[in-house]
């Protein structure tokens, strides 16, 4: 059972544009939602994360929007750059102890000049 | 601060052979994780250690996979015997008691 659904599978954006990646979850016990960035040959790196008590979190060019009632969250990359070209994974972690992250299927982002 | 170290980075074996991967977590991180990442998919947790003890191994194929964490620091993951479907990247991650997990570069396993 896939608990975190991610879309789109791939995305091409022009330099300077906005990249938007969406995720939806089913388990209402999730209370921590990180986004990871992965370059080829590297492990995932934590990019930004949010908890359900806020609807938006911004760090530099990266923003997470969170809709608790719809059980959806999204990553926005403003002023996208070629160096942002990577695979992005959303993930979710339940409350109540343990650190069992459930990952989405990933989005391959390519930022073109 | 040094990151999570893994070795080897690449391994090619034939099916039915055995293989072992090594992980050294970030110093002081009590929690260590092994993930399997199949091409085109997100990482899937195989096993989680808290110090020396296993917290979650519900998705570990125990008939062929085993893992240990000696003295609460380094860890090894073993596959014996390997199957074609085990071809994947094996990621090690570590964390303090917080939610932030830090990943190593992974070991790319190809089973032929």
């Amino acid at each position: 059972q896939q608990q975190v659904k991610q879309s789109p599978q791939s995305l091409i954006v022009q330099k300077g544009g906005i990249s938007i990646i969406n995720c939806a979850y089913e388990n209402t016990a999730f209370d921590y939602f990180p986004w990871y960035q992965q370059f080829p040959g590297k492990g995932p790196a934590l990019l930004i994360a949010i908890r359900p008590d806020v609807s938006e979190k911004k760090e530099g060019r990266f923003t997470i929007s969170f809709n608790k009632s719809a059980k959806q969250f999204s990553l926005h990359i403003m002023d996208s750059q070629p160096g942002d070209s990577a695979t992005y994974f959303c993930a979710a972690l339940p409350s109540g102890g343990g650190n069992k992250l459930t990952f989405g299927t990933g989005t391959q982002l390519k930022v073109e000049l | 601060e040094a990151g999570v170290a893994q070795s080897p980075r690449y391994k090619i074996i034939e099916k039915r052979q055995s293989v072992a991967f090594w992980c050294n977590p970030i110093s002081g991180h009590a929690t260590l994780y092994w993930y399997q990442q199949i091409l085109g998919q997100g990482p899937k947790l195989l096993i989680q250690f808290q110090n020396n003890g296993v917290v979650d191994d519900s998705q570990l194929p125990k008939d062929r996979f085993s893992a240990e964490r000696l003295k609460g620091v380094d860890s090894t993951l073993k596959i014996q015997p390997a199957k074609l479907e085990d071809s994947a990247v094996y990621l090690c991650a570590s964390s303090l008691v917080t939610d932030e997990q830090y990943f190593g570069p992974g070991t790319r396993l190809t089973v032929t």
Side-chain angles (χ1 to χ4, degrees), chain A residues 9 32 36 38 41-46 51 89 93 98-101 103-106, chain B residues 9 33 35 37 40-43 45 48 56 58-59 91 98-101 103-105:
Chain A
Q9 186 175 1
Y32 175 72
Y36 283 83
Q38 186 174 27
K42 304 289 186 182
L46 179 64
R51 294 195 181 275
F89 292 95
L93 188 69
N99 291 56
K100 187 173 181 177
L101 272 174
F103 282 85
T105 51
Chain B
R9 292 297 314 278
Y33 317 79
Y35 288 85
Q37 186 175 23
Q41 297 182 19
L45 181 69
Q48 176 185 341
D56 186 339
S58 58
Q59 299 191 92
L91 295 162
T98 64
D99 300 325
E100 295 185 11
Q101 297 185 23
F103 285 81

Side-chain angles (χ1 to χ4, degrees), chain B residues 41-111:
Chain B
Q41 297 182 19
K44 182 185 82 171
L45 181 69
L46 293 175
I47 189 167
Q48 176 185 341
F49 292 94
Q50 180 75 22
N51 296 309
N52 289 341
V54 175
V55 174
D56 186 339
D57 64 356
S58 58
Q59 299 191 92
L60 186 74
K62 298 179 186 64
D63 57 334
R64 297 183 301 105
F65 286 65
S66 64
E68 60 180 4
R69 189 178 185 196
L70 301 175
K71 299 180 182 178
V73 183
D74 293 5
S75 177
T76 56
L77 176 69
K78 297 179 181 178
I79 308 175
Q80 181 180 13
K83 293 185 175 181
L84 295 177
E85 59 261 36
D86 297 333
S87 294
V89 175
Y90 290 86
L91 295 162
C92 179
S94 69
S95 70
L96 291 171
V97 293
T98 64
D99 300 325
E100 295 185 11
Q101 297 185 23
Y102 297 86
F103 285 81
T107 296
R108 181 175 297 277
L109 174 67
T110 302
V111 182

Side-chain angles (χ1 to χ4, degrees), chain A residues 23-45:
Chain A
C23 283
Y25 63 97
E26 299 167 2
N27 188 351
T28 54
F30 289 144
D31 73 345
Y32 175 72
F33 302 89
W35 283 89
Y36 283 83
Q37 179 189 57
Q38 186 174 27
F39 292 104
K42 304 289 186 182

Side-chain angles (χ1 to χ4, degrees), chain A residues 3 42 76 80 86 93 95 102 107 111-112:
Chain A
Q3 296 190 50
K42 304 289 186 182
H76 293 64
S80 298
L93 188 69
S95 60
T102 298
T107 296
V111 181
E112 293 184 335

